[in-house]
Amino acid sequence: MSTVNMKKLKNLTQYNFTATFIKADVIVRERKLSSLKNIYPTVLLKNVCLADTGELIAKYYWLGYGKSLAKLGRLTSGTQLKFEARPDINVLGNKNNGDIASLITWPKNFRRLDKAYQYQAIPEDGHQLAGCILSGKQQEYNESEQWYLDQYKLWQEENGDELDTLVEEVPAIDNYQDIKVEDVLDDKLEKYAAIRSEELSDSENRKYVIIDRETKKILDDNNSLGYLKVKDAYESYEHRLNNAKERYRKRRALSWLLNHADFDKKLLEIYIEITDKGQWEDYISFDKKLVEDLLLQGNHTHLEFTSKDLLEVWYKG
């Protein structure tokens, strides 16, 4: 592996680089006006090379842990990376980055070169990411560090459902068979999860789809567009599920009503009496409470629909 002559590179011109991820860490800078300290996430890279020629830029390199890299999820030591950046040859000799100059500016479009890997989400926000890195350290935390840890905990609470999902187990969009959401019943609600889709994500945006936890089949991919936020993916799918469940209940209610003509007739008689006389027994309203009481009186329990469902399909005839 030869070392590149930096003078051959054009200052602030975009190049493709490869590197090996070694570890994540934090750097601490004290605030000028207080005793508290700012904490920033950073990563240690090894063998930073020009992608086209393989020429070595730096044997080891500390790089700020930015959003573009964090989108790749949790990285393990030895992960091979590719990214775009601009070499700043004006800072040759700068010792702020250890024994090598701060050559690389504005890194972006990070990609993993390993095709098969387990994806585990990490925060993209710098404060939350710093807390994530700190959480892996076995130590007592000071006041400043605890604040970053708290930010990470908030992120975990909001995104916990996607932390145990695996990207490589999701089939390609072109290969999966559609599952009819209308056939998904209550027992399915505990079996789906939002997960990042490699097929729909790009260098700028992480896209999520909903999968069945057991079969890994895609249940909702937003018409092959994916969802930008985990929250949006869950809300959209749950809305579809609720609509499907409601339609299912009403079909069951209608089927039950058609098979219980005596109950259907009794509802009609009560409806007419309340409409004409303003009351039937102690009831003055023809509503779901009345229907619920009638079902209980007839010992009609453990039904697949609600009294509201039954009332609505009865009105629609």
Side-chain angles (χ1 to χ4, degrees):
M1 183 182 293
S2 60
T3 303
V4 69
N5 180 355
M6 291 300 296
K7 297 300 182 182
K8 292 165 59 177
L9 300 182
K10 295 181 180 180
N11 193 39
L12 301 182
T13 298
Q14 200 79 10
Y15 290 88
N16 288 315
F17 295 91
T18 59
T20 301
F21 174 86
I22 301 300
K23 67 174 183 177
D25 209 333
V26 294
I27 55 175
V28 181
R29 293 174 183 163
E30 192 165 346
R31 299 177 186 175
K32 294 182 179 180
L33 302 179
S34 70
S35 59
L36 298 178
K37 298 177 180 179
N38 288 322
I39 299 177
Y40 302 92
T42 184
V43 294
L44 177 61
L45 302 180
K46 180 181 179 180
N47 295 335
V48 182
C49 300
L50 283 173
D52 294 337
T53 65
E55 292 176 286
L56 182 68
I57 294 293
K59 185 67 176 177
Y60 293 98
Y61 195 85
W62 284 104
L63 184 69
Y65 208 154
K67 182 177 181 179
S68 178
L69 181 55
K71 284 182 177 181
L72 300 182
R74 192 178 298 277
L75 303 175
T76 57
S77 181
T79 299
Q80 301 298 307
L81 301 172
K82 187 175 183 179
F83 61 96
E84 299 173 19
R86 300 177 181 181
D88 190 351
I89 63 177
N90 291 330
V91 296
L92 283 171
N94 188 325
K95 299 297 182 180
N96 290 336
N97 198 33
D99 294 329
I100 62 174
S102 302
L103 304 177
I104 300 171
T105 60
W106 301 300
K108 63 179 183 179
N109 294 338
F110 280 89
R111 302 178 293 283
R112 298 182 66 141
L113 297 181
D114 50 335
K115 298 301 181 183
Y117 62 92
Q118 292 185 350
Y119 170 78
Q120 184 178 10
I122 59 173
E124 297 175 12
D125 173 81
H127 295 157
Q128 296 170 340
L129 182 54
C132 175
I133 296 170
L134 284 170
S135 68
K137 296 178 178 291
Q138 302 297 322
Q139 64 182 50
E140 293 185 4
Y141 300 104
N142 59 36
E143 181 181 354
S144 295
E145 292 168 335
Q146 188 59 52
W147 184 85
Y148 288 90
L149 287 167
D150 291 341
Q151 300 307 302
Y152 175 51
K153 289 178 182 177
L154 290 174
W155 178 85
Q156 285 182 303
E157 293 173 359
E158 294 176 356
N159 298 273
D161 287 323
E162 66 164 324
L163 301 185
D164 61 350
T165 55
L166 306 179
V167 162
E168 75 278 12
E169 296 185 17
V170 178
I173 292 296
D174 293 336
N175 296 332
Y176 74 87
Q177 297 294 321
D178 281 331
I179 295 178
K180 293 182 179 180
V181 177
E182 290 80 359
D183 295 334
V184 179
L185 304 181
D186 291 358
D187 62 330
K188 208 72 172 181
L189 295 176
E190 299 178 357
K191 297 180 181 180
Y192 65 87
I195 186 174
R196 183 189 178 191
S197 168
E198 282 293 293
E199 289 73 27
L200 300 181
S201 298
D202 53 39
S203 58
E204 299 296 327
N205 294 300
R206 178 183 296 168
K207 298 292 186 66
Y208 296 94
V209 297
I210 297 292
I211 65 167
D212 183 293
R213 286 184 182 272
E214 292 185 356
T215 66
K216 301 302 186 291
K217 289 186 179 294
I218 297 177
L219 302 175
D220 183 10
D221 63 4
N222 193 21
N223 295 320
S224 296
L225 296 175
Y227 295 93
L228 288 173
K229 297 180 180 180
V230 172
K231 179 181 178 182
D232 292 342
Y234 278 120
E235 287 183 350
S236 177
Y237 185 62
E238 286 164 2
H239 177 70
R240 293 179 63 190
L241 273 183
N242 288 336
N243 287 343
K245 288 171 58 185
E246 182 178 352
R247 290 194 297 272
Y248 175 83
R249 293 197 317 267
K250 288 181 179 177
R251 289 197 299 271
R252 299 285 71 76
L254 179 58
S255 177
W256 185 91
L257 194 60
L258 292 174
N259 285 283
H260 291 78
D262 55 338
F263 193 91
D264 189 358
K265 183 178 180 181
K266 186 171 186 178
L267 287 179
L268 177 61
E269 293 171 349
I270 294 172
Y271 175 80
I272 292 174
E273 188 162 342
I274 290 179
T275 302
D276 291 343
K277 301 179 180 179
Q279 185 172 344
W280 175 80
E281 295 188 355
D282 294 329
Y283 297 91
I284 60 174
S285 299
F286 189 79
D287 55 18
K288 63 179 183 179
K289 179 63 169 64
L290 184 151
V291 175
E292 181 178 348
D293 290 346
L294 289 175
L295 288 170
L296 289 175
Q297 291 171 17
N299 200 28
H300 301 300
T301 58
H302 302 95
L303 300 172
E304 295 182 280
F305 52 85
T306 67
S307 57
K308 180 181 178 182
D309 297 325
L310 188 61
L311 184 62
E312 289 183 4
V313 299
W314 185 87
Y315 268 123
K316 291 180 179 179

